Amino acid sequence: MTPLLQVEHIAKFYGSRIGCTDVSFDLYPGEVMGIVGESGSGKSTLLNCLAGHLTPDRGAVRFDTRADGLRDTVTMSEPERRMLSRTDWAFVHQHARDGLRMNVSAGGNVGERLMAVNARHYGEIRAQAIDWLGRVEINEDRIDDRPTAFSGGMQQRLQIARNLVTGPRLVFMDEPTGGLDVSVQARLLDLLRGLVREMNLSAIIVTHDLAVVRLLADRLMVMKDGHVIETGLTDQVLDDPQHAYTQLLVSSVLQV
Amino acid sequence: MIRIENVSKSFVLHNQGAAEIPVMQGASLRVAAGECVALVGASGAGKSTLMRMLYGNYLTASGQMIVGDLDVAKAAPREIIQLRRYTLGYVSQFLRVVPRVSTLDVVAEPLLMTGTSMDDAHAQAEILLARLNIPQRLWPLSPTTFSGGEQQRVNIARGFAYPYPALLLDEPTASLDPTNRATVLDMIAEAKARGAAIIGIFHDAAARDAICDRQLDVTQFTPGLAA
Amino acid sequence: MNDYNFAYLDEQTKRMIRRAILKGLAIPGYQVPFASREMPMPYGWGTGGVQVSAAVLTPDDTFKVIDQGADDTTNAVSIRRFFQKTAGVEVTEATAKASVIQTRHRIPEQELRHDQILVYQVPIPEPLRFLEPSEVETRKMHSLEEYGLMHVKLYEDISQHGDIATAYAYPVKVEGRYVMDPSPIPKFDNPKLEMAAIQLFGAGREQRIYAIPPYTQVVSLDFDDYPFQPTKADHACDLCGATDSYLDELIVDDAGARMFMCSDTDYCSNRRAAGHIGAQGIPAAEDVA
């Protein structure tokens, strides 16, 4: 089977400082990869390099495009990459305001990606928006409200709906539950689990929260100071950590 | 079906002075389809450890850990995920509870992951739960508030939802009353009859003797202990 | 002999503006940046249109200026006098006689010919500005043809008002490629954007020029189930009886009585001269105004 994403020796430097270095892995359809690390580990830098928000200094990110098979997105032209990020890719930001248009209604936010790929029937666009709002448990009667009138958790769910409406195959998530109340986090994680399974999504999730990866990720990569120090099945890395740092991380997590 | 050849394992606790704790050496075992083998040995001898190594939950330091045609010791994560989905089932000692997921969904999940429709998966889950005497009013609830025995029965239902060719059972009858214990033993027997290769850990000698064809004392693989 | 160069601007400036115009004509609907000059009227008073007119006028041209369709408003009169003084060109109020027409916020009702130029005054040239404040981002959207956001605006209108509420400056797609703001003309005028004359658009403060060559395809944006409709007040002109021209609405007394008249003064007076009379009209010969 062809991997959906092939990451080869990605590196990003800031002068002499290492953002991330020598990161390689394959991701297959339906797999969720978690990237954990503490502040400064390079995980967000890595995610942004993979998603095309930053240009890596070295390496390739090959994506299995529908039309042309495996293509290196790092060397792709900007229009192609932007098209990819509107259709086959999705990016869920930590702060909903970075991933939503706050002065556009919920329905407009969800419909935008459809309109960007030439949906031209108002009724159908609105129907799809209502459908997706329902799937992320936002009531239909909020469709014309602006996200500024939503709670943090609702904004995040709206962001997810906005991203998933075009049926992407790969979702990048940057601390998707960061800053949310615990009960809201829980609901969001359940939603993500369900959607990942229903839509056979692949996902790359960056988080510092080990409980999130335990719940969502099949595989795990632990980063420190820009390097990947351990990688493997999530339950294996968390239950049988090999590296000193991983053991430290796992033992540091508070048990409730 | 299952072929364990000369495996070893040690833990290195880096944050405790890099203490190295060897826990297994030279372990070997073969289990054929339709066979049930019990792992025995004192507490801490490595029974659960061996099971976790077979499931890929613990890394195997050396040797071969073959399930079907996959060597788990050397397999890529993706391959182990596939193995866990379609080939190797695992009923752990304790149910890992995800709050807010209903009991029905917990049990249905292995079926949903292998392509069964939502309705069929739920129907099969209901049959299993009924068989294990979990009252219907509990089905829409999360197992978080259930008693230990109830949680264990949910765990077992989940483990037996999909007809795995290989099964790992860690203390499946612990915390069960005689009626439910008998049901579980029946379920294990049925799995054997359809050709599953089973490795089990049973504290309960009577249960063990009733269902297992052989025993393997893992103490012989513990480094530093005389056999 | 006055102290000004022909049409006020120096020849180098005119050359620069003409290059921008040529580029605009070569890429219909694309906003060409140009170095807008300081003009003897403030920003917001038509400096863009004036600079474009100044660059295209020749001594043989006949020049007409309209402001909201009328030749006799203060601004139209000022600009007309400006070019009379600095260019010495013939001026006219008759659309059919003009070779260059500068307009603010209307397209003349009379169909224009291939030997005429229509110059529009444009306040904000960027159609996406209100939804995307970043110039960097809007330029990228135009260059990558990413216009989903434009339809989001129309979607928002329908969801809030039941219909596309934009009544003027209604966005259009030019030759199937660039989305353009046609300046604040009423949407009633949008169909006229497909015409035989050359159309030039100048925005002085924002420093952009764009253009539509003759017979270019110009399509107003809409949804399949909410098609574009060029609407106007459901009345006839009270002076000349025209039912097909854009109307101004006047409140004529303190009781709130109103009358509707053609916004295009030349069109209206031509109709009255030809004998058409509206509900409140008086025969042209008797009209002393």
Side-chain angles (χ1 to χ4, degrees), chain C residues 168-208:
Chain C
Y168 57 90
Y170 193 104
V172 296
K173 194 156 210 203
V174 181
E175 203 64 13
R177 177 55 181 87
Y178 282 93
V179 167
M180 188 192 94
D181 182 328
S183 82
I185 55 175
K187 67 177 177 177
F188 175 77
D189 281 347
N190 273 28
K192 300 192 192 69
L193 288 164
E194 291 189 347
M195 62 164 73
I198 292 173
Q199 298 172 84
L200 304 176
F201 298 78
R205 177 185 49 215
E206 295 296 312
Q207 312 199 42
R208 297 281 185 277

mmCIF file of all heavy atoms in Angstrom, chain C residues 168-208:
data_model
loop_
_atom_site.group_PDB
_atom_site.id
_atom_site.type_symbol
_atom_site.label_atom_id
_atom_site.label_comp_id
_atom_site.label_asym_id
_atom_site.label_seq_id
_atom_site.Cartn_x
_atom_site.Cartn_y
_atom_site.Cartn_z
ATOM 1 N N TYR C 168 -25.107 48.290 -5.238
ATOM 2 C CA TYR C 168 -24.202 49.000 -6.145
ATOM 3 C C TYR C 168 -22.804 48.431 -5.916
ATOM 4 O O TYR C 168 -22.571 47.689 -4.970
ATOM 5 C CB TYR C 168 -24.245 50.517 -5.890
ATOM 6 C CG TYR C 168 -23.910 50.892 -4.481
ATOM 7 C CD1 TYR C 168 -22.594 51.163 -4.099
ATOM 8 C CD2 TYR C 168 -24.908 50.983 -3.515
ATOM 9 C CE1 TYR C 168 -22.291 51.493 -2.796
ATOM 10 C CE2 TYR C 168 -24.601 51.307 -2.208
ATOM 11 C CZ TYR C 168 -23.297 51.574 -1.853
ATOM 12 O OH TYR C 168 -23.004 51.887 -0.557
ATOM 13 N N ALA C 169 -21.893 48.795 -6.779
ATOM 14 C CA ALA C 169 -20.547 48.211 -6.723
ATOM 15 C C ALA C 169 -20.647 46.693 -6.661
ATOM 16 O O ALA C 169 -19.968 46.035 -5.890
ATOM 17 C CB ALA C 169 -19.769 48.757 -5.523
ATOM 18 N N TYR C 170 -21.510 46.144 -7.481
ATOM 19 C CA TYR C 170 -21.769 44.711 -7.475
ATOM 20 C C TYR C 170 -20.641 43.999 -8.203
ATOM 21 O O TYR C 170 -20.370 44.275 -9.358
ATOM 22 C CB TYR C 170 -23.100 44.442 -8.159
ATOM 23 C CG TYR C 170 -23.629 43.052 -7.962
ATOM 24 C CD1 TYR C 170 -24.667 42.815 -7.076
ATOM 25 C CD2 TYR C 170 -23.087 41.973 -8.660
ATOM 26 C CE1 TYR C 170 -25.166 41.535 -6.885
ATOM 27 C CE2 TYR C 170 -23.566 40.698 -8.479
ATOM 28 C CZ TYR C 170 -24.607 40.490 -7.579
ATOM 29 O OH TYR C 170 -25.078 39.219 -7.392
ATOM 30 N N PRO C 171 -19.972 43.042 -7.542
ATOM 31 C CA PRO C 171 -18.751 42.463 -8.131
ATOM 32 C C PRO C 171 -19.034 41.651 -9.390
ATOM 33 O O PRO C 171 -20.065 40.988 -9.520
ATOM 34 C CB PRO C 171 -18.230 41.548 -7.016
ATOM 35 C CG PRO C 171 -19.417 41.228 -6.193
ATOM 36 C CD PRO C 171 -20.332 42.420 -6.265
ATOM 37 N N VAL C 172 -18.068 41.709 -10.316
ATOM 38 C CA VAL C 172 -18.220 40.987 -11.578
ATOM 39 C C VAL C 172 -16.960 40.182 -11.875
ATOM 40 O O VAL C 172 -15.892 40.465 -11.343
ATOM 41 C CB VAL C 172 -18.451 41.961 -12.762
ATOM 42 C CG1 VAL C 172 -19.758 42.714 -12.594
ATOM 43 C CG2 VAL C 172 -17.294 42.933 -12.895
ATOM 44 N N LYS C 173 -17.107 39.189 -12.717
ATOM 45 C CA LYS C 173 -15.938 38.428 -13.180
ATOM 46 C C LYS C 173 -15.715 38.802 -14.638
ATOM 47 O O LYS C 173 -16.626 38.722 -15.461
ATOM 48 C CB LYS C 173 -16.197 36.931 -13.066
ATOM 49 C CG LYS C 173 -14.906 36.118 -13.199
ATOM 50 C CD LYS C 173 -15.007 34.773 -12.535
ATOM 51 C CE LYS C 173 -13.650 34.336 -12.031
ATOM 52 N NZ LYS C 173 -13.500 32.906 -11.857
ATOM 53 N N VAL C 174 -14.471 39.220 -14.929
ATOM 54 C CA VAL C 174 -14.155 39.748 -16.250
ATOM 55 C C VAL C 174 -13.429 38.697 -17.077
ATOM 56 O O VAL C 174 -12.410 38.155 -16.644
ATOM 57 C CB VAL C 174 -13.259 41.007 -16.124
ATOM 58 C CG1 VAL C 174 -12.955 41.572 -17.501
ATOM 59 C CG2 VAL C 174 -13.954 42.046 -15.264
ATOM 60 N N GLU C 175 -13.956 38.429 -18.249
ATOM 61 C CA GLU C 175 -13.357 37.483 -19.191
ATOM 62 C C GLU C 175 -13.033 36.171 -18.480
ATOM 63 O O GLU C 175 -12.032 35.514 -18.780
ATOM 64 C CB GLU C 175 -12.105 38.107 -19.818
ATOM 65 C CG GLU C 175 -11.686 37.528 -21.164
ATOM 66 C CD GLU C 175 -12.689 37.747 -22.285
ATOM 67 O OE1 GLU C 175 -13.630 38.556 -22.147
ATOM 68 O OE2 GLU C 175 -12.537 37.107 -23.328
ATOM 69 N N GLY C 176 -13.857 35.774 -17.551
ATOM 70 C CA GLY C 176 -13.700 34.511 -16.862
ATOM 71 C C GLY C 176 -12.491 34.414 -15.954
ATOM 72 O O GLY C 176 -12.141 33.319 -15.508
ATOM 73 N N ARG C 177 -11.863 35.508 -15.648
ATOM 74 C CA ARG C 177 -10.628 35.404 -14.854
ATOM 75 C C ARG C 177 -10.607 36.295 -13.620
ATOM 76 O O ARG C 177 -10.578 35.801 -12.498
ATOM 77 C CB ARG C 177 -9.438 35.707 -15.760
ATOM 78 C CG ARG C 177 -8.079 35.703 -15.056
ATOM 79 C CD ARG C 177 -7.807 34.418 -14.330
ATOM 80 N NE ARG C 177 -6.520 34.423 -13.632
ATOM 81 C CZ ARG C 177 -6.320 34.870 -12.412
ATOM 82 N NH1 ARG C 177 -7.310 35.378 -11.714
ATOM 83 N NH2 ARG C 177 -5.111 34.816 -11.872
ATOM 84 N N TYR C 178 -10.590 37.611 -13.795
ATOM 85 C CA TYR C 178 -10.434 38.494 -12.631
ATOM 86 C C TYR C 178 -11.773 38.958 -12.102
ATOM 87 O O TYR C 178 -12.671 39.332 -12.849
ATOM 88 C CB TYR C 178 -9.571 39.718 -12.974
ATOM 89 C CG TYR C 178 -8.106 39.398 -13.014
ATOM 90 C CD1 TYR C 178 -7.488 39.050 -14.205
ATOM 91 C CD2 TYR C 178 -7.348 39.385 -11.850
ATOM 92 C CE1 TYR C 178 -6.145 38.719 -14.234
ATOM 93 C CE2 TYR C 178 -6.008 39.056 -11.867
ATOM 94 C CZ TYR C 178 -5.412 38.715 -13.064
ATOM 95 O OH TYR C 178 -4.082 38.379 -13.090
ATOM 96 N N VAL C 179 -11.863 38.957 -10.758
ATOM 97 C CA VAL C 179 -13.051 39.543 -10.140
ATOM 98 C C VAL C 179 -12.775 41.022 -9.928
ATOM 99 O O VAL C 179 -11.690 41.418 -9.482
ATOM 100 C CB VAL C 179 -13.375 38.848 -8.801
ATOM 101 C CG1 VAL C 179 -14.388 39.646 -7.996
ATOM 102 C CG2 VAL C 179 -13.928 37.465 -9.068
ATOM 103 N N MET C 180 -13.737 41.840 -10.275
ATOM 104 C CA MET C 180 -13.506 43.266 -10.336
ATOM 105 C C MET C 180 -14.638 44.020 -9.654
ATOM 106 O O MET C 180 -15.786 43.556 -9.654
ATOM 107 C CB MET C 180 -13.461 43.657 -11.816
ATOM 108 C CG MET C 180 -13.044 45.053 -12.126
ATOM 109 S SD MET C 180 -13.392 45.438 -13.853
ATOM 110 C CE MET C 180 -14.991 46.193 -13.691
ATOM 111 N N ASP C 181 -14.280 45.171 -9.094
ATOM 112 C CA ASP C 181 -15.309 46.068 -8.567
ATOM 113 C C ASP C 181 -15.605 47.094 -9.655
ATOM 114 O O ASP C 181 -14.724 47.865 -10.033
ATOM 115 C CB ASP C 181 -14.769 46.746 -7.303
ATOM 116 C CG ASP C 181 -15.792 47.672 -6.659
ATOM 117 O OD1 ASP C 181 -16.606 48.270 -7.374
ATOM 118 O OD2 ASP C 181 -15.753 47.802 -5.431
ATOM 119 N N PRO C 182 -16.838 47.166 -10.174
ATOM 120 C CA PRO C 182 -17.104 48.053 -11.304
ATOM 121 C C PRO C 182 -17.282 49.508 -10.895
ATOM 122 O O PRO C 182 -17.819 50.285 -11.670
ATOM 123 C CB PRO C 182 -18.393 47.478 -11.887
ATOM 124 C CG PRO C 182 -19.087 46.881 -10.730
ATOM 125 C CD PRO C 182 -18.018 46.370 -9.808
ATOM 126 N N SER C 183 -16.865 49.869 -9.708
ATOM 127 C CA SER C 183 -17.067 51.189 -9.092
ATOM 128 C C SER C 183 -18.526 51.264 -8.633
ATOM 129 O O SER C 183 -19.338 50.426 -9.010
ATOM 130 C CB SER C 183 -16.740 52.348 -10.054
ATOM 131 O OG SER C 183 -17.816 52.623 -10.921
ATOM 132 N N PRO C 184 -18.876 52.249 -7.801
ATOM 133 C CA PRO C 184 -20.234 52.221 -7.205
ATOM 134 C C PRO C 184 -21.363 52.560 -8.177
ATOM 135 O O PRO C 184 -22.214 53.393 -7.885
ATOM 136 C CB PRO C 184 -20.125 53.262 -6.080
ATOM 137 C CG PRO C 184 -18.682 53.381 -5.791
ATOM 138 C CD PRO C 184 -17.997 53.186 -7.085
ATOM 139 N N ILE C 185 -21.395 51.874 -9.298
ATOM 140 C CA ILE C 185 -22.551 52.009 -10.183
ATOM 141 C C ILE C 185 -23.666 51.132 -9.638
ATOM 142 O O ILE C 185 -23.383 50.117 -8.993
ATOM 143 C CB ILE C 185 -22.200 51.582 -11.631
ATOM 144 C CG1 ILE C 185 -21.630 50.155 -11.651
ATOM 145 C CG2 ILE C 185 -21.238 52.563 -12.260
ATOM 146 C CD1 ILE C 185 -21.370 49.642 -13.045
ATOM 147 N N PRO C 186 -24.922 51.498 -9.859
ATOM 148 C CA PRO C 186 -26.008 50.633 -9.384
ATOM 149 C C PRO C 186 -25.964 49.309 -10.123
ATOM 150 O O PRO C 186 -25.529 49.260 -11.278
ATOM 151 C CB PRO C 186 -27.279 51.421 -9.734
ATOM 152 C CG PRO C 186 -26.866 52.381 -10.786
ATOM 153 C CD PRO C 186 -25.426 52.679 -10.588
ATOM 154 N N LYS C 187 -26.400 48.238 -9.479
ATOM 155 C CA LYS C 187 -26.293 46.935 -10.140
ATOM 156 C C LYS C 187 -27.140 46.889 -11.405
ATOM 157 O O LYS C 187 -26.891 46.078 -12.294
ATOM 158 C CB LYS C 187 -26.649 45.793 -9.193
ATOM 159 C CG LYS C 187 -28.083 45.719 -8.734
ATOM 160 C CD LYS C 187 -28.250 44.473 -7.860
ATOM 161 C CE LYS C 187 -29.644 44.373 -7.318
ATOM 162 N NZ LYS C 187 -29.836 43.153 -6.526
ATOM 163 N N PHE C 188 -28.097 47.818 -11.488
ATOM 164 C CA PHE C 188 -28.877 47.951 -12.703
ATOM 165 C C PHE C 188 -27.982 48.180 -13.914
ATOM 166 O O PHE C 188 -28.293 47.760 -15.032
ATOM 167 C CB PHE C 188 -29.856 49.113 -12.544
ATOM 168 C CG PHE C 188 -30.652 49.427 -13.770
ATOM 169 C CD1 PHE C 188 -31.730 48.629 -14.117
ATOM 170 C CD2 PHE C 188 -30.318 50.509 -14.579
ATOM 171 C CE1 PHE C 188 -32.472 48.918 -15.260
ATOM 172 C CE2 PHE C 188 -31.061 50.796 -15.714
ATOM 173 C CZ PHE C 188 -32.138 50.003 -16.056
ATOM 174 N N ASP C 189 -26.840 48.845 -13.705
ATOM 175 C CA ASP C 189 -25.951 49.171 -14.815
ATOM 176 C C ASP C 189 -25.024 48.023 -15.198
ATOM 177 O O ASP C 189 -24.377 48.074 -16.238
ATOM 178 C CB ASP C 189 -25.075 50.385 -14.455
ATOM 179 C CG ASP C 189 -25.824 51.702 -14.602
ATOM 180 O OD1 ASP C 189 -26.910 51.699 -15.215
ATOM 181 O OD2 ASP C 189 -25.310 52.723 -14.112
ATOM 182 N N ASN C 190 -24.937 47.001 -14.355
ATOM 183 C CA ASN C 190 -23.944 45.940 -14.618
ATOM 184 C C ASN C 190 -24.028 45.317 -16.003
ATOM 185 O O ASN C 190 -22.997 45.098 -16.642
ATOM 186 C CB ASN C 190 -24.031 44.844 -13.536
ATOM 187 C CG ASN C 190 -23.185 45.169 -12.325
ATOM 188 O OD1 ASN C 190 -22.950 46.331 -12.025
ATOM 189 N ND2 ASN C 190 -22.724 44.148 -11.636
ATOM 190 N N PRO C 191 -25.230 45.032 -16.504
ATOM 191 C CA PRO C 191 -25.274 44.432 -17.850
ATOM 192 C C PRO C 191 -24.641 45.327 -18.915
ATOM 193 O O PRO C 191 -24.136 44.832 -19.912
ATOM 194 C CB PRO C 191 -26.775 44.253 -18.096
ATOM 195 C CG PRO C 191 -27.375 44.165 -16.742
ATOM 196 C CD PRO C 191 -26.566 45.071 -15.885
ATOM 197 N N LYS C 192 -24.652 46.645 -18.680
ATOM 198 C CA LYS C 192 -24.075 47.541 -19.684
ATOM 199 C C LYS C 192 -22.565 47.436 -19.748
ATOM 200 O O LYS C 192 -21.938 47.948 -20.683
ATOM 201 C CB LYS C 192 -24.436 49.004 -19.371
ATOM 202 C CG LYS C 192 -25.928 49.327 -19.333
ATOM 203 C CD LYS C 192 -26.103 50.838 -19.312
ATOM 204 C CE LYS C 192 -27.509 51.279 -18.994
ATOM 205 N NZ LYS C 192 -27.917 51.010 -17.610
ATOM 206 N N LEU C 193 -21.947 46.795 -18.758
ATOM 207 C CA LEU C 193 -20.490 46.680 -18.746
ATOM 208 C C LEU C 193 -19.973 45.906 -19.948
ATOM 209 O O LEU C 193 -18.792 45.969 -20.276
ATOM 210 C CB LEU C 193 -20.016 46.004 -17.443
ATOM 211 C CG LEU C 193 -20.128 46.856 -16.187
ATOM 212 C CD1 LEU C 193 -20.025 45.985 -14.934
ATOM 213 C CD2 LEU C 193 -19.041 47.919 -16.157
ATOM 214 N N GLU C 194 -20.807 45.141 -20.578
ATOM 215 C CA GLU C 194 -20.427 44.530 -21.846
ATOM 216 C C GLU C 194 -20.828 45.513 -22.934
ATOM 217 O O GLU C 194 -22.001 45.626 -23.265
ATOM 218 C CB GLU C 194 -21.134 43.180 -22.033
ATOM 219 C CG GLU C 194 -20.625 42.125 -21.073
ATOM 220 C CD GLU C 194 -21.150 40.723 -21.362
ATOM 221 O OE1 GLU C 194 -22.110 40.589 -22.159
ATOM 222 O OE2 GLU C 194 -20.621 39.764 -20.794
ATOM 223 N N MET C 195 -19.851 46.259 -23.468
ATOM 224 C CA MET C 195 -20.195 47.326 -24.412
ATOM 225 C C MET C 195 -19.126 47.458 -25.493
ATOM 226 O O MET C 195 -18.069 46.831 -25.416
ATOM 227 C CB MET C 195 -20.349 48.650 -23.647
ATOM 228 C CG MET C 195 -19.082 49.106 -22.947
ATOM 229 S SD MET C 195 -19.136 50.837 -22.449
ATOM 230 C CE MET C 195 -20.279 50.780 -21.081
ATOM 231 N N ALA C 196 -19.406 48.331 -26.450
ATOM 232 C CA ALA C 196 -18.493 48.508 -27.571
ATOM 233 C C ALA C 196 -17.377 49.504 -27.267
ATOM 234 O O ALA C 196 -16.355 49.526 -27.946
ATOM 235 C CB ALA C 196 -19.278 48.982 -28.795
ATOM 236 N N ALA C 197 -17.564 50.340 -26.240
ATOM 237 C CA ALA C 197 -16.569 51.359 -25.930
ATOM 238 C C ALA C 197 -15.481 50.787 -25.035
ATOM 239 O O ALA C 197 -15.639 49.744 -24.418
ATOM 240 C CB ALA C 197 -17.245 52.534 -25.231
ATOM 241 N N ILE C 198 -14.372 51.508 -24.973
ATOM 242 C CA ILE C 198 -13.299 51.158 -24.029
ATOM 243 C C ILE C 198 -13.688 51.702 -22.661
ATOM 244 O O ILE C 198 -14.146 52.840 -22.543
ATOM 245 C CB ILE C 198 -11.974 51.817 -24.462
ATOM 246 C CG1 ILE C 198 -11.480 51.204 -25.764
ATOM 247 C CG2 ILE C 198 -10.910 51.651 -23.379
ATOM 248 C CD1 ILE C 198 -10.263 51.918 -26.330
ATOM 249 N N GLN C 199 -13.513 50.874 -21.620
ATOM 250 C CA GLN C 199 -13.824 51.325 -20.260
ATOM 251 C C GLN C 199 -12.545 51.367 -19.436
ATOM 252 O O GLN C 199 -11.829 50.380 -19.356
ATOM 253 C CB GLN C 199 -14.831 50.381 -19.601
ATOM 254 C CG GLN C 199 -16.158 50.336 -20.340
ATOM 255 C CD GLN C 199 -17.057 49.261 -19.794
ATOM 256 O OE1 GLN C 199 -17.753 49.440 -18.818
ATOM 257 N NE2 GLN C 199 -17.031 48.102 -20.447
ATOM 258 N N LEU C 200 -12.276 52.534 -18.845
ATOM 259 C CA LEU C 200 -11.080 52.687 -18.022
ATOM 260 C C LEU C 200 -11.496 53.094 -16.621
ATOM 261 O O LEU C 200 -12.402 53.900 -16.449
ATOM 262 C CB LEU C 200 -10.163 53.772 -18.610
ATOM 263 C CG LEU C 200 -9.733 53.571 -20.064
ATOM 264 C CD1 LEU C 200 -8.910 54.768 -20.525
ATOM 265 C CD2 LEU C 200 -8.963 52.281 -20.232
ATOM 266 N N PHE C 201 -10.840 52.515 -15.612
ATOM 267 C CA PHE C 201 -11.204 52.775 -14.224
ATOM 268 C C PHE C 201 -9.988 53.344 -13.500
ATOM 269 O O PHE C 201 -8.907 52.754 -13.551
ATOM 270 C CB PHE C 201 -11.626 51.470 -13.530
ATOM 271 C CG PHE C 201 -12.846 50.821 -14.135
ATOM 272 C CD1 PHE C 201 -12.756 50.095 -15.321
ATOM 273 C CD2 PHE C 201 -14.085 50.936 -13.518
ATOM 274 C CE1 PHE C 201 -13.884 49.493 -15.881
ATOM 275 C CE2 PHE C 201 -15.215 50.332 -14.068
ATOM 276 C CZ PHE C 201 -15.116 49.624 -15.253
ATOM 277 N N GLY C 202 -10.182 54.510 -12.836
ATOM 278 C CA GLY C 202 -9.055 55.115 -12.131
ATOM 279 C C GLY C 202 -9.361 55.355 -10.669
ATOM 280 O O GLY C 202 -10.382 55.954 -10.324
ATOM 281 N N ALA C 203 -8.475 54.877 -9.786
ATOM 282 C CA ALA C 203 -8.608 55.145 -8.356
ATOM 283 C C ALA C 203 -7.380 55.922 -7.928
ATOM 284 O O ALA C 203 -6.279 55.381 -7.910
ATOM 285 C CB ALA C 203 -8.712 53.833 -7.568
ATOM 286 N N GLY C 204 -7.562 57.248 -7.612
ATOM 287 C CA GLY C 204 -6.421 58.109 -7.342
ATOM 288 C C GLY C 204 -5.789 57.875 -5.989
ATOM 289 O O GLY C 204 -4.579 57.729 -5.869
ATOM 290 N N ARG C 205 -6.619 57.779 -4.963
ATOM 291 C CA ARG C 205 -6.065 57.613 -3.625
ATOM 292 C C ARG C 205 -5.447 56.226 -3.484
ATOM 293 O O ARG C 205 -4.403 56.057 -2.885
ATOM 294 C CB ARG C 205 -7.158 57.817 -2.575
ATOM 295 C CG ARG C 205 -6.682 57.597 -1.145
ATOM 296 C CD ARG C 205 -7.833 57.680 -0.156
ATOM 297 N NE ARG C 205 -8.926 56.853 -0.630
ATOM 298 C CZ ARG C 205 -10.213 57.144 -0.477
ATOM 299 N NH1 ARG C 205 -10.587 58.249 0.115
ATOM 300 N NH2 ARG C 205 -11.142 56.341 -0.947
ATOM 301 N N GLU C 206 -6.119 55.194 -4.037
ATOM 302 C CA GLU C 206 -5.611 53.828 -3.913
ATOM 303 C C GLU C 206 -4.573 53.503 -4.965
ATOM 304 O O GLU C 206 -3.959 52.437 -4.918
ATOM 305 C CB GLU C 206 -6.771 52.822 -4.034
ATOM 306 C CG GLU C 206 -7.768 52.940 -2.898
ATOM 307 C CD GLU C 206 -7.150 52.594 -1.546
ATOM 308 O OE1 GLU C 206 -6.483 51.546 -1.462
ATOM 309 O OE2 GLU C 206 -7.327 53.368 -0.595
ATOM 310 N N GLN C 207 -4.380 54.421 -5.946
ATOM 311 C CA GLN C 207 -3.315 54.274 -6.945
ATOM 312 C C GLN C 207 -3.448 52.998 -7.779
ATOM 313 O O GLN C 207 -2.510 52.214 -7.909
ATOM 314 C CB GLN C 207 -1.937 54.314 -6.272
ATOM 315 C CG GLN C 207 -1.802 55.480 -5.296
ATOM 316 C CD GLN C 207 -0.368 55.818 -4.965
ATOM 317 O OE1 GLN C 207 0.492 55.834 -5.819
ATOM 318 N NE2 GLN C 207 -0.121 56.110 -3.697
ATOM 319 N N ARG C 208 -4.632 52.800 -8.338
ATOM 320 C CA ARG C 208 -4.833 51.647 -9.204
ATOM 321 C C ARG C 208 -5.598 52.061 -10.451
ATOM 322 O O ARG C 208 -6.498 52.903 -10.392
ATOM 323 C CB ARG C 208 -5.673 50.559 -8.514
ATOM 324 C CG ARG C 208 -5.052 49.968 -7.298
ATOM 325 C CD ARG C 208 -3.992 48.938 -7.657
ATOM 326 N NE ARG C 208 -3.496 48.295 -6.452
ATOM 327 C CZ ARG C 208 -2.555 48.789 -5.658
ATOM 328 N NH1 ARG C 208 -1.986 49.944 -5.952
ATOM 329 N NH2 ARG C 208 -2.182 48.140 -4.583
#
